[in-house]
Amino acid sequence: MMIRSIIFLLIINFNVIHAQNSFSIKKIDSLITILNDVNVYEDLGEQEMLRLSTEVYYQSKEIQYKKGMVKSLVLFSNIYLEDTRGNYHECLNKVAEGLPLAEEIGDYESSAYLFYYKGMVLFRLGYKGQAKFFFDKALEISSNIPDNDLKGMVKYNIYYGFSGLSPKDTVAELYYGKLMYNEAKKLSKKNIFRSGFIAAANTYIGSIYSRKKEYNIAETYLKDAEIFQKEVRDKRNCVSIYLEMGIIRQKQDRNEEALEYFLKAISLAKKYNMPYFLLSIYIPTSDVYGKLKDYEHEAFYLKQYRNLSDSINIEEKKMLRNNFKKINNEELAASSVVWYYLLAGLFFVIILCIIYIIWVDKKMTTKKYQEEQTLSYNMDGEETNNTIPIVNLNNKSLKSRISGLFKNGNKKALQFKDVHTISTEKKIDIVTTKELEELYQLAYENNLAFMQGFKQKFPIFSKGIITNYPNWVITELEVCFLLKLNLSTKEIAQITNSSIRSIESKKYRIRKKMNIPSQENISIWLNNLTF
């Protein structure tokens, strides 16, 4: 009798627990549905989304509902990725926790998204090779998603990630942009994301054609984007549409129409807290006001740009510092097999380089003299000897940079120590190979003596740009000097501990200050400059 009673109580208890779990699962699934709605950012905002995602996670964990845990971790990853403060470390933490759970329950959609988010974090931190590895992984997993709509949405996002890996290759950008558009068009008409996806893809393709100066084609895509965008309450994509339309109108000298688009874009960018878009809009808005001879507003928007740019630079440096502190080398190295082999290969190359340097050094000591060839010019500026000195540099990167100056720049911009005759009318700096090597070394070491060293070795150039283009900011002048040495944007960013976006902004201001045409290579232009 007692045994029957115990069994009966156990059955009752199991049924009660099962009923409670079923109720909790339904509640959790309802919250997940709300958080995946197309207008969720518009309706709830980021903070409320974080709160609800946290509730979903802990309720799911309490009853060991793994699907709920995975879906909440995907939501967390997306929110942290798109956070304006760049909370990349938290994003990677959620990805690391979510991937094994998603694999365990066979949730291919969540696995693909989590790999995509990890790739996006690494891409934004400058690790393009690793980012591509995770985009490839996400694309491979997405093929297993049974639901065609879910599969299409995942692939749309992954193609967007791929498109960013080649920012100056318009062929590659158009290829991935059209893949995005095709995936969006294939979504069923009942899919609530379809219109927004088509609008965003059209906007992206339109912006590429605008950069290619094919304005009629660009405008067609942008107008289609605007039509589909009307069906979506979240109007963030309209910022991009209005910005691109404004730029096209500005290029066509239809300045009043351009201004109307820019002001609408500014209004929406402020509403949705999109500071990087505001940074992109303020300068063309200022330029348009200048063309309309409204100098008060021209100065106002230029000041807005400077204030926001300084603020973003400070926040950007802080964000990158925090992320690099948290995302240590061990974590990044463990992120892919590719990285491991890259390090092993690099180590092997370094060993070979050391052996080669020792061999060359030993060989050089046995020689009685080193043959030098010189590049010189007569008083009329005609080339008298078509050779360049043989330079023994241990650092391959220094050698390639010096070589780059001769390939891409004005050969007359650099003269060697054996040349003592030079036209005073030309006013060209005389710089030896050794002095160049020392200057590059100071630059790569981010040595405080670099600025002074550059002024000593390029006195005519330094004095010329400071005299002819006054009101330099010290950081802009430093970037200008580094560009004169033919360093790339990425190299300058590494040397100055800045972001690539920050260096691009400084290059833009240098172009404006010195009236350098946008189609000109800035390093070549500086090397061709004479005073």
Side-chain angles (χ1 to χ4, degrees):
M1 184 67 181
M2 184 176 289
I3 293 172
R4 286 182 181 178
S5 299
I6 291 170
I7 292 171
F8 177 75
L9 288 171
L10 286 172
I11 292 170
I12 294 294
N13 189 49
F14 173 79
N15 287 335
V16 170
I17 292 170
H18 179 71
Q20 287 176 341
N21 284 352
S22 297
F23 175 75
S24 297
I25 288 171
K26 286 180 181 178
K27 182 181 176 183
I28 290 166
D29 286 343
S30 296
L31 282 174
I32 291 171
T33 302
I34 291 169
L35 287 167
N36 283 315
D37 185 76
V38 66
N39 294 307
V40 64
Y41 273 96
E42 182 82 5
D43 294 336
L44 299 179
E46 186 180 292
Q47 291 306 312
E48 182 63 11
M49 285 183 67
L50 273 173
R51 189 188 71 78
L52 289 177
S53 298
T54 304
E55 186 176 337
V56 169
Y57 176 79
Y58 284 108
Q59 283 193 20
S60 300
K61 192 171 184 180
E62 187 177 345
I63 62 172
Q64 281 302 293
Y65 180 40
K66 292 181 180 178
K67 178 186 172 184
M69 292 172 67
V70 169
K71 295 299 182 187
S72 66
L73 290 166
V74 170
L75 288 164
F76 274 129
S77 302
N78 184 40
I79 294 167
Y80 287 131
L81 177 68
E82 299 305 329
D83 184 356
T84 54
R85 292 161 295 183
N87 207 339
Y88 298 149
H89 182 250
E90 283 301 324
C91 178
L92 288 181
N93 279 344
K94 301 306 178 186
V95 168
E97 186 179 353
L99 279 172
L101 280 173
E103 186 178 355
E104 182 182 339
I105 64 175
D107 187 343
Y108 297 114
E109 180 197 4
S110 295
S111 289
Y113 270 127
L114 290 167
F115 276 119
Y116 163 70
Y117 293 144
K118 187 165 187 174
M120 285 301 291
V121 168
L122 293 169
F123 165 68
R124 291 180 183 179
L125 291 174
Y127 298 93
K128 287 188 178 181
Q130 288 178 273
K132 184 181 182 302
F133 173 84
F134 288 109
F135 292 155
D136 285 331
K137 188 75 175 171
L139 195 59
E140 179 188 341
I141 291 171
S142 69
S143 62
N144 297 316
I145 301 172
D147 185 283
N148 286 331
D149 268 14
L150 294 178
K151 183 191 296 184
M153 290 166 64
V154 171
K155 290 175 78 172
Y156 175 96
N157 282 285
I158 297 168
Y159 290 141
Y160 172 74
F162 275 117
S163 70
L165 296 177
S166 306
K168 294 183 180 178
D169 184 350
T170 54
V171 174
E173 287 180 309
L174 276 175
Y175 171 74
Y176 285 113
K178 289 179 178 178
L179 285 178
M180 289 162 60
Y181 177 79
N182 291 337
E183 292 299 334
K185 286 288 284 185
K186 285 191 291 185
L187 297 176
S188 62
K189 295 201 174 173
K190 66 179 181 180
N191 189 304
I192 58 175
F193 291 94
R194 186 175 185 270
S195 294
F197 275 28
I198 293 174
N202 273 322
T203 305
Y204 180 69
I205 296 170
S207 70
I208 298 168
Y209 278 114
S210 177
R211 279 188 280 123
K212 285 164 64 72
K213 299 182 180 179
E214 297 179 31
Y215 299 127
N216 290 334
I217 301 175
E219 194 167 336
T220 300
Y221 277 101
L222 292 169
K223 284 183 176 178
D224 283 347
E226 196 169 11
I227 291 169
F228 281 99
Q229 191 63 42
K230 288 177 181 176
E231 301 175 25
V232 183
R233 277 199 292 121
D234 187 335
K235 301 298 182 186
R236 282 178 295 175
N237 187 57
C238 284
V239 177
S240 298
I241 296 173
Y242 295 148
L243 172 59
E244 292 299 334
M245 285 298 294
I247 290 170
I248 291 171
R249 291 290 180 262
Q250 186 183 20
K251 298 290 184 184
Q252 296 169 335
D253 285 328
R254 295 158 68 178
N255 293 307
E256 291 183 355
E257 292 177 49
L259 183 60
E260 187 178 342
Y261 279 117
F262 288 147
L263 292 178
K264 287 199 288 187
I266 288 171
S267 176
L268 284 173
K270 286 181 177 178
K271 176 182 175 181
Y272 289 105
N273 187 26
M274 301 165 73
Y276 287 106
F277 275 93
L278 282 172
L279 205 61
S280 301
I281 304 166
Y282 282 148
I283 286 292
T285 305
S286 175
D287 289 344
V288 167
Y289 271 119
K291 288 178 181 178
L292 295 172
K293 298 185 178 180
D294 185 343
Y295 303 119
E296 184 178 347
H297 279 96
E298 179 189 22
F300 172 78
Y301 281 102
L302 188 59
K303 184 178 180 183
Q304 292 288 92
Y305 171 82
R306 286 172 178 166
N307 291 342
L308 182 59
S309 177
D310 291 342
S311 172
I312 286 175
N313 285 341
I314 293 168
E315 286 299 316
E316 212 170 43
K317 285 185 178 180
K318 183 179 177 183
M319 177 266 289
L320 285 173
R321 243 189 342 260
N322 290 340
N323 278 300
F324 277 114
K325 276 181 185 177
K326 292 174 181 176
I327 305 169
N328 55 42
N329 291 334
E330 184 179 351
E331 184 177 358
L332 288 170
S335 63
S336 74
V337 176
V338 175
W339 183 243
Y340 170 79
Y341 284 115
L342 181 63
L343 285 175
L346 182 62
F347 178 75
F348 181 70
V349 169
I350 290 170
I351 294 297
L352 285 178
C353 287
I354 292 171
I355 293 170
Y356 176 74
I357 290 167
I358 293 170
W359 177 77
V360 169
D361 188 59
K362 186 175 180 181
K363 186 177 179 181
M364 293 298 290
T365 55
T366 61
K367 288 186 177 183
K368 293 181 180 180
Y369 64 91
Q370 175 184 1
E371 181 182 355
E372 285 193 354
Q373 298 169 308
T374 60
L375 180 70
S376 62
Y377 293 83
N378 61 17
M379 291 295 288
D380 295 324
E382 295 178 354
E383 193 172 342
T384 58
N385 189 343
N386 195 32
T387 57
I388 297 173
I390 297 171
V391 183
N392 179 29
L393 297 179
N394 291 332
N395 188 320
K396 283 189 176 182
S397 64
L398 298 186
K399 186 175 181 179
S400 66
R401 296 260 47 94
I402 294 174
S403 175
L405 281 170
F406 289 100
K407 288 178 182 176
N408 303 322
N410 180 0
K411 290 183 180 181
K412 295 184 182 182
L414 296 172
Q415 302 279 331
F416 287 93
K417 57 188 175 184
D418 293 334
V419 182
H420 298 291
T421 59
I422 186 166
S423 170
T424 55
E425 293 179 2
K426 296 285 184 180
K427 291 189 178 179
I428 298 172
D429 290 302
I430 303 173
V431 185
T432 69
T433 308
K434 184 170 178 19
E435 287 174 329
L436 270 179
E437 184 183 349
E438 291 171 357
L439 207 52
Y440 280 116
Q441 198 66 47
L442 289 173
Y444 288 135
E445 292 171 356
N446 195 15
N447 195 308
L448 294 174
F450 168 74
M451 293 284 284
Q452 191 59 35
F454 185 95
K455 289 177 182 178
Q456 290 175 354
K457 291 173 176 55
F458 288 92
I460 296 170
F461 176 83
S462 304
K463 184 179 178 181
I465 64 167
I466 292 169
T467 304
N468 288 280
Y469 309 99
N471 302 321
W472 282 95
V473 176
I474 188 68
T475 53
E476 291 175 7
L477 193 60
E478 181 184 17
V479 170
C480 184
F481 288 173
L482 292 167
L483 288 167
K484 167 76 173 173
L485 294 180
N486 225 20
L487 293 170
S488 68
T489 302
K490 184 176 179 182
E491 288 171 317
I492 295 172
Q494 291 170 341
I495 286 168
T496 59
N497 293 321
S498 305
S499 68
I500 289 175
R501 188 187 295 272
S502 171
I503 299 304
E504 289 290 359
S505 295
K506 288 184 175 67
K507 284 172 67 177
Y508 178 84
R509 293 197 288 272
I510 291 168
R511 281 186 185 275
K512 294 284 285 184
K513 190 185 297 287
M514 301 184 75
N515 295 318
I516 303 174
S518 58
Q519 68 272 16
E520 290 284 344
N521 179 301
I522 192 167
S523 292
I524 294 175
W525 195 92
L526 289 170
N527 276 300
N528 285 330
L529 190 63
T530 56
F531 297 99

